[in-house]
Amino acid sequence: MTAIPQERRLVTAIPGPKSQELQARRTAAVAGGVGSVLPVFAARAGGGIVEDVDGNRLIDFGSGIAVTSVGASAEAVVRRASAQLAEFTHTCFMVTPYEGYVEVCERLAEVTPGDHAKKSALFNSGAEAVENAVKIARSHTGRQAVVVFDHGYHGRTNLTMALTAKNMPYKNGFGPFAPEIYRVPVAYGYRWPTGPENCGPEASAQAIDQISKQIGAENVAAIVIEPLLGEGGFIEPAKGFLPALAKFAQDNGIVFVADEIQSGFCRTGQWFACEDEGVVPDLITTAKGIAGGLPLAAVTGRAEIMDAAHSGGLGGTYGGNPVACAAALGAIETMKEQDLVSKARHIETVMKGRLSALSEKYDIIGDIRGRGAMIAIELVKDRGTKEPNPEATAALAKACHLAGLLVLTCGTYGNVLRFLPPLVIGEDLLREGLDIIEQAFSAV
């Protein structure tokens, strides 16, 4: 494994001729419903760089949507996964189990919030983890209703589409959806009518009132929320909101589920985003950053809740694949050895400093938010009206892409630029990426 030079390099247009040839093949062979942010075809990736088939090296501010936090070819991940690959690729844990699965569950019990007895079950994707968390909560409580939030995203399966707030592109034309799903307000400080200072208490009171009156707390199996919302726009719920909901859940026998699929594993400058206000969830769902790029997901939670499902009620052919488990052990090893919690906090300091300076120059920047290496800017047409500006967002993303910086957009209104650099990105690349963002603003 040769190390990829950690420097941006553009040798062709973006996308280059080889990527364009592959794009033609893709158009003929791959379903049109599968999109891509940028049609440059990757050849190698590692550290803070993605190298394409034309030899261009792009600075990575996306991490494959918060997956390659330890880099896309981390030494410990490659070493452990390669060793496992040579031993066996699969037996199915439900047929003949293996140590790697057990060890991942042991590590999850150590790193997730709370010192209570915990157990885990492993799956393939974030959506599967969320779906199984709902199954477990329903089994434990004997109730059916599930409460979710405005701007929330939880996946693309039938149940998780129902849980997800945004119609396009996730839900449109794919119904009918699973029943007994109820959506309540979230504490979106930037857009709260009475201002961010009132948002936490007012939004939690509204949400709890709606749950109590429209559903009945005694009918609710689970409250499912992202402690830092991802696809909905990197919304950081206003202070006090999450603790109030967690207490309401506890007082009413409701399973409080933290969906940490995008925000988990050091991404926000803590191992998990819910730690910011000391919230200890009953169940926590993880995926993305868990295994350095291999498909793996987990539900981890209070042992008595996790054990509610009958034997055979949880599982799946590939869940907790041995190679993915080995990769997860390598990723967690890397996070600890390289203190990626501290790296994420440093990334936040650097990024927010530069973005705040940009905000003073450009009125289209309405809000800068997020924590750790999960930072976003919300773009508006006018700071007074806060009217979303998806056109400027798309233009800025395109300008960054053409200059060799991979960035992503998100948000219910399509007006949020989000930054998810690998936690191992070098200081020079981080600052160069911010230079490119600044140049993009001056050009738009």
Side-chain angles (χ1 to χ4, degrees):
M1 184 176 72
T2 41
I4 299 165
Q6 294 296 296
E7 54 191 34
R8 179 175 65 109
R9 180 177 76 167
L10 295 180
V11 294
T12 72
I14 302 292
K18 289 181 180 176
S19 278
Q20 290 179 41
E21 285 174 25
L22 282 165
Q23 181 64 19
R25 286 170 55 192
R26 173 211 169 123
T27 302
V30 178
V34 182
S36 291
V37 170
L38 180 59
V40 299
F41 282 73
R44 299 193 297 164
I49 290 288
V50 174
E51 183 175 299
D52 73 10
V53 289
D54 290 287
N56 299 298
R57 293 194 202 112
L58 283 68
I59 299 173
D60 184 9
F61 272 20
S63 298
I65 318 184
V67 169
T68 53
S69 300
V70 297
S73 50
E75 186 277 330
V77 172
V78 173
R79 168 171 43 83
R80 286 181 178 248
S82 298
Q84 179 57 51
L85 199 59
E87 297 297 334
F88 60 93
T89 59
H90 175 80
T91 67
C92 184
F93 191 76
M94 299 180 302
V95 178
T96 54
Y98 36 88
E99 185 180 1
Y101 187 118
V102 177
E103 194 175 348
V104 169
C105 295
E106 290 170 341
R107 295 291 86 74
L108 287 167
E110 289 169 10
V111 300
T112 50
D115 55 9
H116 50 276
K118 297 175 202 160
K119 293 188 177 184
S120 295
L122 305 183
F123 305 98
N124 301 298
S125 68
E128 267 191 77
V130 172
E131 189 138 339
N132 278 278
V134 170
K135 284 164 57 176
I136 292 163
R138 284 174 167 165
S139 184
H140 173 70
T141 60
R143 306 170 182 178
Q144 294 183 345
V146 178
V147 172
V148 288
F149 295 82
D150 287 339
H151 308 288
Y153 175 87
H154 300 287
R156 294 174 181 264
T157 60
N158 186 267
L159 175 61
T160 56
M161 280 192 293
L163 301 175
T164 292
K166 190 175 179 180
N167 176 50
M168 277 297 287
Y170 306 115
K171 301 166 74 167
N172 195 53
F174 297 145
F177 301 114
E180 288 300 312
I181 309 298
Y182 300 88
R183 199 172 314 285
V184 297
V186 77
Y188 190 169
Y190 177 64
R191 294 192 174 274
W192 197 252
T194 60
E197 64 282 354
N198 301 313
C199 182
E202 289 182 3
S204 56
Q206 266 192 36
I208 288 167
D209 185 60
Q210 283 190 26
I211 295 165
S212 302
K213 288 180 177 167
Q214 297 180 20
I215 314 162
E218 67 279 6
N219 296 315
V220 179
I223 292 173
V224 183
I225 189 165
E226 300 160 277
L228 205 163
L229 280 71
E231 299 291 314
F234 280 27
I235 299 162
E236 190 176 355
K239 296 298 181 206
F241 184 74
L242 290 172
L245 284 164
K247 184 177 188 309
F248 173 75
Q250 184 179 17
D251 291 347
N252 290 279
I254 298 166
V255 177
F256 188 80
V257 182
D259 177 343
E260 293 257 15
I261 285 155
Q262 190 161 168
S263 58
F265 290 101
C266 309
R267 175 56 59 182
T268 62
Q270 286 161 306
W271 272 90
F272 296 95
C274 59
E275 295 176 68
D276 185 63
E277 292 185 89
V279 171
V280 178
D282 297 310
L283 301 179
I284 185 165
T285 60
T286 53
K288 290 192 183 291
I290 193 172
L294 273 77
L296 189 68
V299 183
T300 302
R302 297 184 186 278
E304 68 276 13
I305 298 177
M306 291 297 298
D307 280 344
H310 52 273
S311 179
L314 304 178
T317 303
Y318 295 108
N321 169 270
V323 182
C325 285
L329 296 170
I332 293 168
E333 175 189 321
T334 304
M335 289 168 200
K336 289 180 174 178
E337 287 188 356
Q338 298 189 21
D339 190 9
L340 295 191
V341 164
S342 295
K343 293 272 180 69
R345 289 176 183 164
H346 177 68
I347 289 168
E348 176 182 349
T349 302
V350 173
M351 294 196 95
K352 280 191 171 174
R354 287 288 296 277
L355 295 173
S356 297
L358 269 184
S359 177
E360 292 173 18
K361 287 174 66 177
Y362 298 102
D363 285 344
I364 61 170
I365 297 177
D367 194 26
I368 299 164
R369 57 177 178 253
R371 297 200 302 272
M374 189 171 176
I375 304 293
I377 48 180
E378 178 162 356
L379 297 157
V380 294
K381 292 181 179 174
D382 178 86
R383 280 186 182 168
T385 65
K386 299 183 181 177
E387 183 185 347
N389 195 340
E391 298 83 9
T393 309
L396 284 162
K398 185 175 182 182
C400 289
H401 294 161
L402 293 176
L405 174 67
L406 184 55
V407 297
L408 307 174
T409 61
C410 66
T412 301
Y413 313 109
N415 68 322
V416 177
L417 266 180
R418 58 172 159 171
F419 309 119
L420 292 159
L423 305 183
V424 296
I425 193 170
E427 185 88 4
D428 292 350
L429 284 180
L430 181 64
R431 293 183 184 276
E432 187 178 356
L434 289 161
D435 292 341
I436 292 169
I437 292 165
E438 189 164 348
Q439 290 157 13
F441 269 95
S442 65
V444 168

